[in-house]
Every structure is written in C-alpha cells, then in structure tokens.
Amino acid sequence: MAEEQTPPQSKSQSEIILSRRIFLAGCLGLPWLWICNVLYFRKKVFGPCVFFEYWPGRRDEYLSAQESQISHSDNGERNDVGGQERSGGGNGGERITRNEKMELEKWVKRSTTGALLVCSIFIAWIVVFQVNKDNFGNGWFVMDMTEEESSGW
C-alpha cells in the first residue's frame, strides 16, 4: 500500500492549528488556556503592547530599534506584494498570506473574548459571594464558624 505524503506545513499554518487547538481546549473547560493563547500570539495579532515590549512614552524608540533589526536580518527584502507578506532572512522565504493572518486573528480574538468573559464572571462571583456571604448557608463554606477552634487557625 502506498502511503500518502502530506506536504510539510509552513510555520504560519502550524501556528493557526496550534491557536485553534488551544482555543478548543479552552472550550473544554480549561479557560486559562485562552489567556495563554492570547499572550503567546499577542505580538502577531495585536502588535507591540505597552509594558510588555516598551515603556510608556518610548514607543518610537522601540519601533526604530525593531526596524533596524529587521533591516539587518532581512537585508531589506521585506515587502508586501499581492496580498502576501514576503519575509526573507531567517524564515526561509516563508510567505504569510492575509488569509492566514486573518485565520490566526480569528482564533486569538475568540480566545480573548472567552478569557474576558470567564474572568468577568469569576470576578463577579467573587464580589457577590464576599458581599453576601452572610446570606449563604453553611453548605457553601468548606468549614463553618463552629469548627474554627478544631482547625487550629
């Protein structure tokens, strides 16, 4: 039997698959993976962020340093032609199409939305519970007030 040879995936395609898998794993009950997904791909999707890549007021210095690094590593071979970004140098001539970038953005933005929603619900639950903890019964607590002396705390 002849085995089917699948062509090797480009780096951008493997990143899309990784982002999609992390998003789906977050949907299965691990929403902290959404935060990991956003942090891992934040620079590609959202660009440089204050406090992560540069300090406030120093954006121009950061951007000029990045441009000089790109020009030294790519030897000026970076351009945008026909809907494709061509990267020379260390990427092996990889092409990242706008469709691939939009696909990656789709999964990362879904992860961002999910992470913000889950964090908002979690914070709302903490506030509601702390404000109304006297109204909740003893079944809501791990230990009730009568067991305080036996715990040693």
Side-chain angles (χ1 to χ4, degrees):
M1 288 175 52
E3 292 183 25
E4 289 185 30
Q5 295 285 333
T6 58
Q9 294 179 348
S10 70
K11 184 179 178 186
S12 60
Q13 290 172 339
S14 62
E15 287 177 342
I16 292 168
I17 292 170
L18 176 64
S19 179
R20 180 176 176 264
R21 286 180 180 169
I22 291 174
F23 172 77
L24 294 175
C27 290
L28 293 175
L30 301 170
W32 57 269
L33 285 176
W34 288 333
I35 296 170
C36 294
N37 197 15
V38 172
L39 290 176
Y40 187 77
F41 293 109
R42 71 181 155 72
K43 204 169 182 181
K44 289 186 179 191
V45 174
F46 301 113
C49 299
V50 179
F51 295 116
F52 285 105
E53 280 80 37
Y54 62 91
W55 288 102
R58 299 189 178 206
R59 179 183 169 106
D60 295 333
E61 294 173 19
Y62 172 77
L63 293 176
S64 64
Q66 290 299 312
E67 288 174 6
S68 67
Q69 285 180 351
I70 289 171
S71 65
H72 290 328
S73 65
D74 291 350
N75 295 327
E77 295 177 15
R78 191 176 181 104
N79 57 14
D80 190 20
V81 179
Q84 296 181 346
E85 183 179 294
R86 177 184 222 147
S87 301
N91 293 341
E94 175 189 350
R95 292 177 180 224
I96 302 171
T97 64
R98 288 188 182 157
N99 289 338
E100 288 173 337
K101 184 171 173 60
M102 287 174 47
E103 185 74 15
L104 181 65
E105 286 178 357
K106 175 176 80 172
W107 293 111
V108 173
K109 288 181 179 181
R110 285 180 181 180
S111 293
T112 305
T113 303
L116 289 174
L117 181 69
V118 167
C119 287
S120 300
I121 291 171
F122 183 65
I123 290 170
W125 167 247
I126 290 172
V127 168
V128 167
F129 189 80
Q130 290 298 319
V131 168
N132 298 316
K133 67 181 170 186
D134 295 334
N135 297 334
F136 289 97
N138 287 337
W140 285 87
F141 298 101
V142 174
M143 181 180 74
D144 64 4
M145 298 288 207
T146 60
E147 297 175 357
E148 180 178 356
E149 294 175 5
S150 64
S151 69
W153 287 92

